[in-house]
Amino acid sequence: MVTSTQPQFAVVDVETTGFGKHDRIVEVAVVHVDATGSITKSWSTLINPNRDIPNAWVHGIKAADVANAPTFEEIASALAHELDGRIFVAHNAAFDARMVRQEFERAGIRGLNLIDNYLCTMLITGRVYRSSGRSLESALACAGLSNDWPHSALGDAMATAALLGHYIATRNVRLNGVQPVEALRALGASLPVAAPVPRGEGITKPGAWVRDLASGVPFKGFPNVDSYLELLERAMLDRVLTTSEINQLKESARELGIGQEEAREIHVNFVRQLGLLAWADGVVTDDERRELESVAESLAVEQDVVREVLQGPLAPKPPTPPKSPQPSESSAPKQTVESSDSPQTPLADQPDTWLGNFALKAGDRVTFTGAMELPRATWETRAQEAGLTVGGVTKKSKLLVAADPESRSGKARKAIEVGVPIVNEATFARLLGEMEAADHATSVQVDAVSSLQANLYEDGGEGASFYEEPEDSTYSDDDAPAAVVLAEFFAQADAREQLVLQERFAAVKPRTLDQLGQKLGLTRERVRQIEKGVLKRLRKQAKEGPIAELIEAIRAQAYPVGTLQQIVDSHPELDEQVEWWGAPLWLILDRLDDSFLVEKGWVCFPDLKTAAARTAELLQRHTNEEGVARLGELETELEPALLTEWLRQCGYQVLQGHVLTRVGSLPARAAGILSIRGVPMSVGEIFKAVGQGRTERSFRNALAATDELMRTSTEEWALRRWGLEEYTSLKGAIGVRVQRAVDAGEPGVPLADLLAELPGKFGVAESSVRLYSSEGDFELADGLVIPRVSENVNNGTPEESDRMYLRDGRWQLLLTVTSEHLRGSGCPVPSGLTAMLGVRYGEPFELPSELGPQKVYWSTMHTLGSIKRFCDALGLQPGDRAWVDVHEGQRFEVRRASGLTGATGLAGVAEYVGASPEGTEPELEARIAVALGLRADAPRRKILARFRHRGAGEVVDVLEGLWV
């Protein structure tokens, strides 16, 4: 019977958006396992990460699947109850524990004891099945188990739970101090609670949402369905209804009083209109047929309507109200409803009633979000080449292109908020194609007219423009907006000048003179003359009036620097397309005025480089020794948010109200961060604040390469100018205090004083203080640490040294190769090895070998010099084992040792000491005893005692389980 004192386990698996610290959990499962290895309960839920899911192909979870799922904050309380009081278990538990801990911290729940406090079945697999892979699939195969639902949180958690049960049954689970999770204690304040949504639940059938609309809504006259239709047109732009679009339609219907019956009638008419579009070219393709059927299903329109539409084009029916008393004529909008008996309208004459034709045109603003099939940079380039503007989501945006239209990225949420349509890549590609086709048709017309005009010019005289004056130009010269003035100027130019203005002046990527000359059939110099003449007249026009006033307003608002978006928000007309030019007003004014330049979204005087240089001069007057300036002390009229954005654009780091100007090297950044904080910081804290670099190891090395910084403890660094005590080593810190005592006439310093001061000040262990105080340059005398007067004595013996075994009549060291060995680092060895060689303290000892001299050291630590060359010669890899044989001080040799096969019991202990695992129990006991330097028939208590003296706890556990 399982008692409350026996361990209980919570086996966890998570599916995520990725592996980084900014990634989120999209599914979590917990399976309860008792002390016998039996599964007692399972729990799982999808989680809405409120961001895009770029790796849906890994786990099969798409944005649509989690649209109605709870957020982590909403299930945090439930998850805490599932974990509380249980040992956290996972396969690769370090990852699952980190992701769960991060999510709890984002929800404001801290103190969850999951840092290095878990049981990992991957690590157990590595110990039990040493020759197997470490994946869950490989571990299950070795245990004779399977996974019925891989790459789902519940499936993987159930499989891991079964694997845990297998390890419990084979007595391979060792908790080694792992404590139950204290989740409820960390939970603290109450959180919102939502029901879990396991995978596969919460997804409704397409079109079922219409049933959620009110039924039998009292008729109150013709409902104003325009806004609902407009919303429906945008939502169905890519012929797919996302969850957010459905929610918007439902909300619109509720506000307008549209019930189920009215909505169905509106949807039927919408499907009929789509059918008319499909018949526009006289043929309905299979793709169009499937698309129409899908749209009908999404809108809960019966397929009979689709079949009727597909029989042939019929006249469209505008939305009609349900039967009810007719409203007064004055209150009803004018609508014509054709009877079903009326003659069919010819296709060419059919009205395009309320469906609308969505199209992109040059200057429209589009935004991209998510990890797309084509690189985002490719889409942005294609969009810009087509004349579109690429930027963030604003009220003036035309379109948001999303890798997954169900995405809940920040851009997607903003688009939904301001009513910007969201489409996928395929739809955007279609819209681009339609745009390019329209541009091609226009280009052919311009080319034809330009050619005609060019011939006329050659025949004598400047031809008239083929553009007519705007019909709605009713402004006087004094009050006409700048865009109208520019449109009129364009209309009054001749055909060649108009083409020059479009292709050389207003284009995002202007054509060269040679390209334009080839298009017009003129020489390069002739095109230059035309350009010079028309620009001269244009600049004269811009010296006064509305154009000059608008340019002056831009200068005033953007000096010395500003964002294009900021200025467009103040002067919305700047973002409008100027008729015939094919460019937004701000671009034309930017090209007109040389005193400022719009570059990378900034309006700079006179350009980005010069504005950045002026900023550097301003900062230089306010920086301290570490190149740090306070934001509040900078003399500028820029608002704080804009100033911060601009400083980052210039390459500076803005942190906690300060600017770091010395950002060319990692040590310089570190010095700036320390200057801001004002107190010593750990390497990890500085590394995180720097926000860039290589690895923490290389970052640590970089800090040591500058005299500006110094170490004040094993982990903390400070500015040298602060005058704090520098920490070089524990030996050095003890030496300073001993010397200080000697200089004061004392024999030494009390060990108790060192133990009270050094661990807290330098972050060292008490055991290390004791060790260094009695070895090397110091010794203990009556509780005082004094300069050493007696010789250092090495009391180690091979018999009592872990990893040293008797082999071929000689004591040899059994090493497990690590990446440090292969990198060329030295490695610690038992004191018994240096004692056996007679190595003296502080005097390097050298042994000959076939690959050159090999050094052994004793200086507080007992160390072997690099053995990389021996490992390379033998082809050793991390995890391989090797014998280090010093041949009783005659020569040095490294040989490959047999690997671990995963044997258990006595056979496993025999493998551990480098002996063969084959044979009877007496034979195995004899081999183990001899390897330890005992007689072959040594009693078991002596074998156990020797392993205890060596500190081989795992082996002692095994032998006690067998013998005691």
Side-chain angles (χ1 to χ4, degrees), residues 496-767:
R496 292 188 299 188
E497 290 174 334
Q498 290 169 343
L499 207 57
V500 166
L501 290 173
Q502 283 181 326
E503 301 284 4
R504 289 279 292 166
F505 196 76
V508 176
K509 295 178 67 174
R511 288 178 181 262
T512 65
L513 292 172
D514 287 329
Q515 290 172 331
L516 209 52
Q518 292 173 8
K519 188 169 185 177
L520 287 171
L522 303 174
T523 65
R524 184 175 187 274
E525 288 306 314
R526 177 61 180 137
V527 175
R528 186 192 298 277
Q529 291 173 3
I530 295 171
E531 179 183 56
K532 184 177 180 180
V534 71
L535 292 186
K536 182 178 179 180
R537 300 201 313 274
L538 179 59
R539 288 197 166 98
K540 182 179 179 181
Q541 177 94 47
K543 284 185 177 180
E544 55 186 20
I547 298 177
E549 292 172 1
L550 196 52
I551 288 176
E552 188 58 37
I554 294 173
R555 291 174 182 166
Q557 187 169 352
Y559 185 83
V561 71
T563 66
L564 177 60
Q565 188 60 54
Q566 171 197 23
I567 296 173
V568 166
D569 288 343
S570 299
H571 306 280
E573 61 187 298
L574 289 171
D575 212 21
E576 295 177 3
Q577 295 288 305
V578 180
E579 190 172 12
W580 297 331
W581 289 73
L585 180 56
W586 68 260
L587 178 60
I588 299 173
L589 299 185
D590 177 27
R591 299 279 170 80
L592 263 176
D593 192 276
D594 294 332
S595 66
F596 68 89
L597 180 69
V598 178
E599 190 173 355
K600 295 182 179 180
W602 292 92
V603 184
C604 310
F605 290 80
D607 52 43
L608 192 67
K609 184 178 180 181
T610 305
R614 289 173 178 166
T615 301
E617 294 173 3
L618 171 66
L619 286 170
Q620 194 171 11
R621 298 197 295 268
H622 297 276
T623 55
N624 65 8
E625 297 175 55
E626 287 75 45
V628 176
R630 291 180 179 272
L631 273 177
E633 295 178 356
L634 300 183
E635 303 157 2
T636 175
E637 296 179 1
L638 295 178
E639 61 182 36
L642 183 59
L643 175 60
T644 297
E645 189 178 352
W646 168 246
L647 290 170
R648 286 173 176 156
Q649 168 67 41
C650 294
Y652 303 117
Q653 186 173 357
V654 181
L655 189 68
Q656 299 175 2
H658 295 76
V659 189
L660 277 67
T661 64
R662 291 171 48 200
V663 293
S665 69
L666 295 180
R669 284 178 181 263
I673 289 165
L674 284 167
S675 176
I676 294 172
R677 184 69 66 87
V679 294
M681 297 172 63
S682 70
V683 175
E685 290 174 327
I686 304 173
F687 181 74
K688 182 179 180 181
V690 165
Q692 70 170 46
R694 295 148 290 183
T695 63
E696 191 167 324
R697 176 193 292 271
S698 62
F699 180 72
R700 185 187 300 269
N701 294 336
L703 295 182
T706 175
D707 290 335
E708 192 174 9
L709 308 176
M710 71 176 191
R711 200 160 56 135
T712 57
S713 73
T714 56
E715 278 298 312
E716 291 188 327
W717 289 74
L719 293 174
R720 189 173 296 278
R721 69 176 175 84
W722 289 345
L724 302 177
E725 180 181 358
E726 184 172 9
Y727 177 80
T728 55
S729 66
L730 180 53
K731 176 183 175 181
I734 295 173
V736 167
R737 283 151 181 78
V738 170
Q739 187 61 49
R740 189 185 300 155
V742 171
D743 291 344
E746 302 291 337
V749 61
L751 175 61
D753 291 354
L754 297 181
L755 292 173
E757 178 193 7
L758 300 186
K761 184 168 187 176
F762 296 126
V764 296
E766 284 192 10
S767 58

Side-chain angles (χ1 to χ4, degrees), residues 14 144 330 376 407 420 425 464 480 566 578 732 746 833 867 904 907 931 956:
V14 297
S330 61
R376 190 184 301 180
S407 170
V420 175
E425 288 175 87
Q566 171 197 23
V578 180
E746 302 291 337
L833 179 65
I867 59 170
T904 58
V956 171

Side-chain angles (χ1 to χ4, degrees), residues 893-931:
E893 182 182 15
V894 178
R895 295 191 306 278
R896 181 184 289 273
S898 58
L900 297 173
T901 64
T904 58
L906 276 180
V909 176
E911 271 195 341
Y912 180 84
V913 301
S916 170
E918 305 295 333
T920 64
E921 285 194 12
E923 289 172 340
L924 293 173
E925 282 189 30
R927 287 181 203 145
I928 295 169
V930 170

Side-chain angles (χ1 to χ4, degrees), residues 774-776 788 790-796 831 835 839 841 858 862:
S774 59
E775 286 195 7
R788 178 167 291 280
S790 60
E791 184 179 357
N792 277 294
V793 178
N794 184 353
N795 294 318
S831 59
V839 178
Y841 183 84
W858 173 29
H862 302 268

Side-chain angles (χ1 to χ4, degrees), residues 330-507:
S330 61
S331 63
K334 294 182 179 180
Q335 298 189 39
T336 302
V337 182
E338 297 187 26
S339 72
S340 57
D341 299 329
S342 61
Q344 290 189 6
T345 306
L347 189 62
D349 297 333
Q350 291 172 3
D352 185 10
T353 55
W354 46 269
L355 180 61
N357 292 316
F358 188 97
L360 293 172
K361 61 181 182 297
D364 282 345
R365 185 186 189 91
V366 297
T367 307
F368 298 90
T369 186
M372 301 184 168
E373 294 292 335
L374 286 179
R376 190 184 301 180
T378 301
W379 278 123
E380 291 178 350
T381 299
R382 286 192 60 187
Q384 289 167 344
E385 288 177 347
L388 300 173
T389 300
V390 177
V393 176
T394 70
K395 291 182 179 180
K396 292 185 176 294
S397 294
K398 186 76 170 181
L399 207 61
L400 173 65
V401 185
D404 184 346
E406 292 278 8
S407 170
R408 287 300 173 272
S409 67
K411 293 178 182 176
R413 294 198 298 271
K414 177 68 173 177
I416 293 171
E417 178 185 335
V418 299
V420 175
I422 305 175
V423 301
N424 57 22
E425 288 175 87
T427 302
F428 181 63
R430 173 171 63 84
L431 292 171
L432 266 186
E434 294 170 355
M435 181 182 179
E436 291 167 357
D439 288 346
H440 176 72
T442 303
S443 176
V444 170
Q445 178 187 13
V446 172
D447 286 350
V449 177
S450 298
S451 177
L452 173 63
Q453 293 289 346
N455 291 334
L456 290 173
Y457 298 155
E458 297 301 324
D459 289 341
E462 302 291 314
S465 168
F466 58 86
Y467 288 91
E468 298 178 359
E469 277 203 6
E471 295 179 359
D472 59 348
S473 179
T474 58
Y475 299 100
S476 68
D477 290 342
D478 295 330
D479 63 1
V484 172
V485 173
L486 288 170
E488 291 177 347
F489 178 89
F490 192 97
Q492 293 164 7
D494 64 52
R496 292 188 299 188
E497 290 174 334
Q498 290 169 343
L499 207 57
V500 166
L501 290 173
Q502 283 181 326
E503 301 284 4
R504 289 279 292 166
F505 196 76

Side-chain angles (χ1 to χ4, degrees), residues 183-453:
L184 295 183
R185 180 183 61 80
L187 197 62
S190 60
L191 290 169
V193 178
V197 178
R199 192 186 295 213
E201 296 185 13
I203 301 177
T204 56
K205 182 180 178 183
W209 64 274
V210 178
R211 294 197 300 268
D212 296 338
L213 301 182
S215 179
V217 175
F219 181 70
K220 300 178 181 178
F222 282 98
N224 179 15
V225 300
D226 290 348
S227 59
Y228 182 86
L229 289 173
E230 182 181 346
L231 184 61
L232 182 62
E233 291 166 19
R234 289 204 310 267
M236 295 305 299
L237 182 60
D238 57 359
R239 307 300 187 249
V240 177
L241 270 185
T242 65
T243 304
S244 62
E245 290 168 341
I246 289 174
N247 291 336
Q248 290 179 70
L249 286 169
K250 289 164 67 175
E251 179 64 19
S252 176
R254 186 189 64 78
E255 292 177 354
L256 297 172
I258 298 174
Q260 292 182 25
E261 297 79 6
E262 292 168 301
R264 289 182 189 277
E265 189 165 359
I266 294 170
H267 295 172
V268 166
N269 281 283
F270 186 88
V271 171
R272 291 185 184 281
Q273 289 288 337
L274 289 181
L276 288 176
L277 292 178
W279 277 107
D281 57 358
V283 178
V284 176
T285 66
D286 289 341
D287 286 343
E288 289 172 331
R289 184 184 303 272
R290 284 191 292 269
E291 183 179 86
L292 199 59
E293 291 171 347
S294 175
V295 169
E297 185 179 23
S298 297
L299 298 178
V301 174
E302 293 78 2
Q303 292 299 317
D304 288 345
V305 174
V306 178
R307 286 190 285 274
E308 176 189 338
V309 169
L310 293 177
Q311 289 176 357
L314 300 172
K317 294 171 64 179
T320 56
K323 293 180 180 180
S324 62
Q326 292 296 319
S328 64
E329 185 175 336
S330 61
S331 63
K334 294 182 179 180
Q335 298 189 39
T336 302
V337 182
E338 297 187 26
S339 72
S340 57
D341 299 329
S342 61
Q344 290 189 6
T345 306
L347 189 62
D349 297 333
Q350 291 172 3
D352 185 10
T353 55
W354 46 269
L355 180 61
N357 292 316
F358 188 97
L360 293 172
K361 61 181 182 297
D364 282 345
R365 185 186 189 91
V366 297
T367 307
F368 298 90
T369 186
M372 301 184 168
E373 294 292 335
L374 286 179
R376 190 184 301 180
T378 301
W379 278 123
E380 291 178 350
T381 299
R382 286 192 60 187
Q384 289 167 344
E385 288 177 347
L388 300 173
T389 300
V390 177
V393 176
T394 70
K395 291 182 179 180
K396 292 185 176 294
S397 294
K398 186 76 170 181
L399 207 61
L400 173 65
V401 185
D404 184 346
E406 292 278 8
S407 170
R408 287 300 173 272
S409 67
K411 293 178 182 176
R413 294 198 298 271
K414 177 68 173 177
I416 293 171
E417 178 185 335
V418 299
V420 175
I422 305 175
V423 301
N424 57 22
E425 288 175 87
T427 302
F428 181 63
R430 173 171 63 84
L431 292 171
L432 266 186
E434 294 170 355
M435 181 182 179
E436 291 167 357
D439 288 346
H440 176 72
T442 303
S443 176
V444 170
Q445 178 187 13
V446 172
D447 286 350
V449 177
S450 298
S451 177
L452 173 63
Q453 293 289 346

